[in-house]
Amino acid sequence: MKLKVDDIEFNLLLNESDLNRNKTPVVFLHGFTGDSTDWQFIFDQLPNTMLPVAVDLIGHGKTDSPSDPVHYTCTAIVHQLDSIFSQLNFGRIILAGYSMGGRAALSYCLKHSQRVSAAVLESTTAGIEDFSMKKERVELDLLFADKIKREGVESFVNYWFDTPLFESLKNLPNFEEVKGKRIGNSVTGLANTLSSFSTGLMMSYWDKLPLLNLPILLISGEMDAKYTNINIAMKSKFLNARHTTVLQCGHNVHLEKPELFTKLVIDFLTTPERQS
């Protein structure tokens, strides 16, 4: 399905025949270099009362990659998502996001909490508090953006998936397929995403987490120590959150352990008020 926001065409994955059947939308947001098809594995597993939706975020998948970086900022992405939800006539939604998509989901929840009934945040951060660390991250992401422009998407994707963050992904039997799918992204889209939606440029939301009074599931992999520690800290700030660390798993839990990820999500969504 295609929708336009500010003359930018967005691609969505959903069963359009279910739009007017009074189902609860569960919206999935992919990570950097990913797309909506990353979530297809869970679509047929959700309860029939729910409408799974996945969005190709700006600069990714089959969504447009405009040249102006202003369309890739956190503020712009939250606006784009809100416009999409309004065009689909969604009431309250459940929002799920992985890594970069989790940052977008958290940003949306804080801006439009009245439109969200629950959230699933996988390998997500609430931002960087220390100014020098923020500056360092921005500089690193700008270097990555330049690398994409100089060397192209395929070269960058090979480099990106060879970093320690994704080491455990290499154990997947379809790892080359997972990596190869990301080569279809555009140079402009990925470079602008890094330069405008860097974690270093994103507002630090740590002091705002206690204001978000909705059920939240945090998921991280035990082999991803950085994000597991971040998620433990985030859980202590939220009013109504649980955190699950998935054993023998790295940064990308939903690709490495899809069946377990699906079970965690369904258990949470069917009893969202429960804490642990």
Side-chain angles (χ1 to χ4, degrees):
M1 181 180 192
K2 305 285 188 179
L3 290 176
K4 279 199 170 185
V5 179
D6 301 331
D7 290 325
I8 301 167
E9 188 171 78
F10 285 80
N11 180 63
L12 285 74
L13 186 66
L14 74 158
N15 185 347
E16 294 181 49
S17 65
D18 283 342
L19 275 175
N20 298 314
R21 294 186 177 175
N22 200 32
K23 295 187 175 186
T24 300
V26 185
V27 182
F28 295 91
L29 305 178
H30 60 79
F32 180 62
T33 75
D35 64 33
S36 56
T37 62
D38 290 349
W39 302 105
Q40 279 184 308
F41 72 93
I42 202 172
F43 272 38
D44 293 337
Q45 306 301 315
L46 293 180
N48 195 44
T49 56
M50 297 178 181
L51 169 63
V53 181
V55 181
D56 281 351
L57 295 170
I58 190 165
H60 287 74
K62 295 179 181 178
T63 287
D64 287 346
S65 299
S67 58
D68 191 341
V70 72
H71 296 298
Y72 297 77
T73 65
C74 185
T75 299
I77 290 171
V78 169
H79 161 71
Q80 291 154 10
L81 291 172
D82 197 51
S83 178
I84 288 169
F85 301 155
S86 294
Q87 289 183 58
L88 293 171
N89 295 313
F90 285 168
R92 298 187 77 194
I93 65 170
I94 295 164
L95 201 50
Y98 156 69
S99 197
M100 180 192 77
R103 292 193 289 115
L106 177 58
S107 301
Y108 186 88
C109 288
L110 287 165
K111 175 72 173 177
H112 300 287
S113 59
Q114 76 283 358
R115 298 197 69 169
V116 184
S117 60
V120 177
L121 304 176
E122 174 194 354
S123 303
T124 299
T125 179
I128 301 172
E129 293 181 285
D130 181 77
F131 177 78
S132 62
M133 292 179 66
K134 286 173 73 73
K135 183 174 181 290
E136 182 179 317
R137 181 56 189 262
V138 170
E139 291 171 350
L140 179 61
D141 283 340
L142 289 175
L143 287 175
F144 284 153
D146 287 340
K147 183 178 179 69
I148 295 172
K149 293 174 184 177
R150 287 195 321 270
E151 302 177 12
V153 173
E154 183 172 1
S155 175
F156 176 79
V157 167
N158 286 329
Y159 167 83
W160 184 248
F161 279 92
D162 204 33
T163 60
L165 191 65
F166 301 107
E167 185 65 29
S168 55
L169 261 185
K170 296 177 182 178
N171 297 322
L172 293 180
N174 64 334
F175 172 67
E176 290 300 326
E177 178 186 342
V178 168
K179 189 171 69 169
K181 188 174 69 169
R182 283 147 174 76
I183 294 172
N185 284 302
S186 79
V187 167
T188 300
L190 295 188
N192 278 346
T193 298
L194 284 171
S195 63
S196 295
F197 193 36
S198 165
T199 309
L201 291 174
M202 170 182 156
M203 180 187 298
S204 171
Y205 292 130
W206 286 95
D207 62 342
K208 298 183 182 298
L209 298 186
L211 304 176
L212 200 56
N213 189 16
L214 55 88
I216 295 170
L217 173 63
L218 300 166
I219 299 174
S220 64
E222 83 165 319
M223 298 165 67
D224 182 7
K226 174 183 175 180
Y227 279 86
T228 292
N229 289 333
I230 288 172
N231 278 211
I232 291 170
M234 288 173 66
K235 180 185 181 296
S236 71
K237 298 280 188 179
F238 283 123
L239 295 177
N240 184 8
R242 73 178 83 160
H243 170 231
T244 296
T245 302
V246 178
L247 302 180
Q248 298 180 323
C249 195
H251 189 64
N252 198 322
V253 178
H254 70 276
L255 286 185
E256 295 182 45
K257 305 279 186 180
E259 292 181 0
L260 180 53
F261 179 87
T262 299
K263 183 180 186 306
L264 290 172
V265 170
I266 291 175
D267 287 351
F268 169 69
L269 294 184
T270 52
T271 56
E273 73 286 351
R274 179 161 47 90
Q275 298 186 49
S276 63

